[in-house]
Amino acid sequence: MVTTLPRPLPTSLKPQSMNDKLPPPSPCIDICRMEQHTGLCVGCLRTIDEITAWGGAPDEYKRGIWRAIERRRSELADVAANATDAVVTGGLQ
């Protein structure tokens, strides 16, 4: 089963646009559905623990979640690309 990638985040919500002096924005994009086989929200790529902790978490913790989201997004993109390559070349049946 290939994981569906979430919609691209607006530039204003990407971690590179974050300022260390401002609170990190929430990664929520209002597509809230947990994917059972990954344990991640399909909209924001956070775990349920990260989602529930967000409101009371310190800014450094939130920045760490953003770094994890970017890693997950990259990993999922790699999985999707490999699956597409395998389908095109006949590697998946």
Side-chain angles (χ1 to χ4, degrees), residues 4 6-7 13 16 19 21 27-28 32-33 35 53 55 57 61-62 70 72 80-81 84 89 91 93:
T4 304
R7 288 190 279 179
L13 292 183
Q16 59 268 32
N19 178 330
K21 296 180 183 9
C28 181
C32 305
R33 188 178 78 239
E35 197 167 87
Y61 178 81
K62 292 177 181 179
E70 286 301 306
R72 293 168 187 154
T84 300
T89 62
Q93 298 179 14

Side-chain angles (χ1 to χ4, degrees), residues 36-92:
Q36 187 175 10
H37 72 279
T38 64
L40 300 173
C41 172
V42 299
C44 66
L45 296 179
R46 290 182 290 173
T47 66
I48 194 69
D49 291 338
E50 291 168 344
I51 292 168
T52 57
W54 186 269
D59 290 349
E60 191 51 41
Y61 178 81
K62 292 177 181 179
R63 289 184 189 91
I65 291 174
W66 268 108
R67 288 187 293 273
I69 290 168
E70 286 301 306
R71 270 193 316 276
R72 293 168 187 154
R73 183 175 298 280
S74 177
E75 290 167 2
L76 289 173
D78 289 346
V79 168
N82 290 337
T84 300
D85 289 346
V87 169
V88 169
T89 62
L92 290 181

